[in-house]
Amino acid sequence: MMVCWPYFDPEFENLTEKIYGPSYKVCIDNESCKECTVVKVDTLNKQGLLLRVIQALTDMNLTISKSYISSDAEWFMDVFHVKDDKGHKLTDHSVVNYVQQNMQAIGTTKELLRDPNKSEVDTSVGAVIRSDTLTDHTAIELTGADRPGLLSEISAVLADLRCNVVEAHAWSHNEYLACVAYISDQSNSSRNEDPNRLAVIKDHLSTVIHATTPIDDTEAYNDQRVETADLPGGGRDRMTTNVEHPLHQLMLGSRDFEGRVGSVSNNSSSPSVSINVVGDGKKIVVSIEGCKEKGYLVVRVECKDRRRLMFDTVCTLTDMQYVVFHASISSHGNSAIQEYYIRHIDGHTLISETEKRRVVKCLEAAIERRVCEGIRLELCANNRVGLLSDITQIFRENGLVIVRADVATEGGKAMNAFYVRDVSGSEVDMEIVESMRKEIEPLALEVRNDSPSSTSLDRPRLSLGGLLKSHIGRLSQNFSSIK
């Protein structure tokens, strides 16, 4: 018996590449611009891909001064003008190769967004354990109403439960706290896999988070949650914005964009435009208009320029299920102008005035979260269980409120960075800071009087050279040539 199969051209799978060229192409151009290095990405469009590209650039401490985004017929081209952390173009060939490798790696990554449909196990406190296990640490995600000393209480609970904080990042905005912490078990320095022990950790943390919520305030209670998950994390090899994206999502889910103090509208009859004065006196202006000819919504953002600004805005639009089809980003002096042509993921562009207000407020909140009033304190010490609890307790006892925190470990050393302000809202008394410095000797405490308009609190800063050295063993020599 003869069986005949339909003819299948083996070249069919490569048809797209033959028409458009390679499905993902990165070009680094050091000739077109005297002041910046130009990074070009050509690829088939996918939801979340633009965010991943911007994330990769910001993870490498590159500043985006200009950008042009265009995507038509399911194909997009991104052009970014970038500088290193010192404000210079990329001239070192090995650094350029490192950037090329990291940007090229995005084209091989299939999962672009966090999958909300992953297997989850509900608990009695409304927390979940996700099953996407990858590394040696357990990630804890917390969100809820903030109060003075909350981070200290959280770290004290972890210390009492013999959990070592390998890394932690916390944001406070509009009286809400979002925190992502990576922990290991004190006994074996590995992730906690015992479901009973995880349940105990969640139960204790949930008690702390819910401590100040009125019993009859069901909505506020539901907005506060604790999750534990075995997620990628721990150590410097993990990129910073891999943590910042969940922080944005936690804040967005907590609705920190509502109830903004000091926000005024420049036109009460036009809810699509809002002006919000932030701590450094600069204004955030967000407007939304319709573009009927092309079927887009046009979102325009004007504010003070800073690092990671484009990541914050694109992250929020993506999480709100909007797709960026075209964009123009530019900075002039210390001001930035961003213009996005977007549609909802379902293709709709007609949204209500209520939804317009929500988009405006969410973008404002995403920009404001990095503006920290207060002083920056940096501390380096040998890491141990309870170190974070001890440090934050000292801040609390001296009347200092932590509005931002980044904690990392490397080679047994804990590198902590905090933005703190006085609990009363006054300027921080430097005599109190000096007294704390003496109290925690011999720990190395440094004070940086960064203004709120600075580049914001990042985790302990890494240069591209440092990143390159830590990954030198992984570098490949098969890179595209530089123009």
Side-chain angles (χ1 to χ4, degrees), residues 182-313:
Y182 293 88
I183 64 172
S184 62
D185 193 275
Q186 178 184 6
S187 60
N188 53 20
S189 299
S190 62
R191 70 168 177 251
N192 296 295
E193 296 181 328
D194 182 354
N196 294 326
R197 178 157 167 73
L198 289 175
V200 169
I201 294 173
K202 290 196 300 292
D203 183 63
H204 281 67
L205 290 175
S206 296
T207 300
V208 172
I209 291 292
H210 297 142
T212 57
T213 304
I215 297 176
D216 58 347
D217 193 347
T218 305
E219 183 176 353
Y221 184 90
N222 290 335
D223 284 342
Q224 305 182 63
R225 59 193 175 93
V226 179
E227 297 181 0
T228 63
D230 296 322
L231 297 175
R236 288 203 176 203
D237 286 345
R238 187 179 39 71
M239 297 301 190
T240 306
T241 47
N242 286 346
V243 177
E244 292 176 348
H245 189 183
L247 286 171
H248 273 300
Q249 290 174 317
L250 289 170
M251 281 296 194
L252 183 64
S254 294
R255 305 178 71 85
D256 72 318
F257 53 87
E258 295 184 340
R260 174 169 286 107
V261 178
S263 178
V264 295
S265 173
N266 70 329
N267 185 345
S268 58
S269 64
S270 178
S272 63
V273 179
S274 177
I275 297 180
N276 189 36
V277 180
V278 296
D280 58 1
K282 296 295 181 179
K283 296 179 179 179
I284 302 172
V285 182
V286 182
S287 64
I288 301 179
E289 299 178 357
C291 181
K292 295 182 180 180
E293 295 81 2
K294 299 294 184 180
Y296 297 118
L297 286 171
V298 183
V299 178
R300 182 180 174 87
V301 179
E302 297 181 49
C303 63
K304 180 178 177 61
D305 192 24
R306 59 164 174 75
R307 294 179 63 247
R308 303 182 186 274
L309 179 62
M310 189 177 182
F311 170 79
D312 293 338
T313 52

Side-chain angles (χ1 to χ4, degrees), residues 29-295:
D29 180 1
N30 255 335
E31 302 297 329
S32 301
C33 182
K34 293 182 179 180
E35 299 179 350
C36 302
T37 296
V38 180
V39 179
K40 302 177 182 178
V41 180
D42 296 323
T43 182
L44 289 170
N45 198 9
K46 297 179 182 178
Q47 170 66 349
L49 182 58
L50 175 60
L51 178 59
R52 285 295 303 274
V53 171
I54 297 171
Q55 175 175 306
L57 292 172
T58 53
D59 278 339
M60 292 182 286
N61 276 351
L62 298 178
T63 300
I64 301 173
S65 58
K66 285 185 180 181
S67 180
Y68 304 96
I69 312 297
S70 179
S71 62
D72 282 316
E74 299 183 354
W75 187 270
F76 80 60
M77 179 179 71
D78 298 350
V79 179
F80 302 94
H81 292 232
V82 302
K83 299 178 181 179
D84 63 17
D85 54 348
K86 296 181 180 179
H88 304 144
K89 69 186 300 183
L90 312 181
T91 56
D92 189 305
H93 186 76
S94 59
V95 170
V96 173
N97 283 347
Y98 175 77
V99 174
Q100 175 86 44
Q101 181 196 34
N102 279 273
M103 295 300 295
Q104 197 68 47
I106 298 173
T108 62
T109 304
K110 295 182 179 180
E111 185 177 3
L112 298 176
L113 295 175
R114 299 175 73 185
D115 186 356
N117 299 317
K118 284 187 180 291
S119 161
E120 298 182 348
V121 179
D122 292 324
T123 69
S124 58
V125 296
V128 296
I129 302 178
R130 285 195 296 271
S131 63
D132 41 344
T133 58
L134 290 176
T135 61
D136 294 333
H137 304 122
T138 299
I140 300 176
E141 299 181 357
L142 310 97
T143 181
D146 195 13
R147 63 180 185 272
L150 179 56
L151 186 60
S152 176
E153 294 176 33
I154 292 171
S155 56
V157 168
L158 293 174
D160 290 342
L161 294 172
R162 304 183 307 281
C163 295
N164 180 38
V165 179
V166 179
E167 186 164 350
H169 304 269
W171 289 359
S172 177
H173 178 248
N174 276 354
E175 299 183 353
Y176 280 93
L177 174 75
C179 177
V180 176
Y182 293 88
I183 64 172
S184 62
D185 193 275
Q186 178 184 6
S187 60
N188 53 20
S189 299
S190 62
R191 70 168 177 251
N192 296 295
E193 296 181 328
D194 182 354
N196 294 326
R197 178 157 167 73
L198 289 175
V200 169
I201 294 173
K202 290 196 300 292
D203 183 63
H204 281 67
L205 290 175
S206 296
T207 300
V208 172
I209 291 292
H210 297 142
T212 57
T213 304
I215 297 176
D216 58 347
D217 193 347
T218 305
E219 183 176 353
Y221 184 90
N222 290 335
D223 284 342
Q224 305 182 63
R225 59 193 175 93
V226 179
E227 297 181 0
T228 63
D230 296 322
L231 297 175
R236 288 203 176 203
D237 286 345
R238 187 179 39 71
M239 297 301 190
T240 306
T241 47
N242 286 346
V243 177
E244 292 176 348
H245 189 183
L247 286 171
H248 273 300
Q249 290 174 317
L250 289 170
M251 281 296 194
L252 183 64
S254 294
R255 305 178 71 85
D256 72 318
F257 53 87
E258 295 184 340
R260 174 169 286 107
V261 178
S263 178
V264 295
S265 173
N266 70 329
N267 185 345
S268 58
S269 64
S270 178
S272 63
V273 179
S274 177
I275 297 180
N276 189 36
V277 180
V278 296
D280 58 1
K282 296 295 181 179
K283 296 179 179 179
I284 302 172
V285 182
V286 182
S287 64
I288 301 179
E289 299 178 357
C291 181
K292 295 182 180 180
E293 295 81 2
K294 299 294 184 180

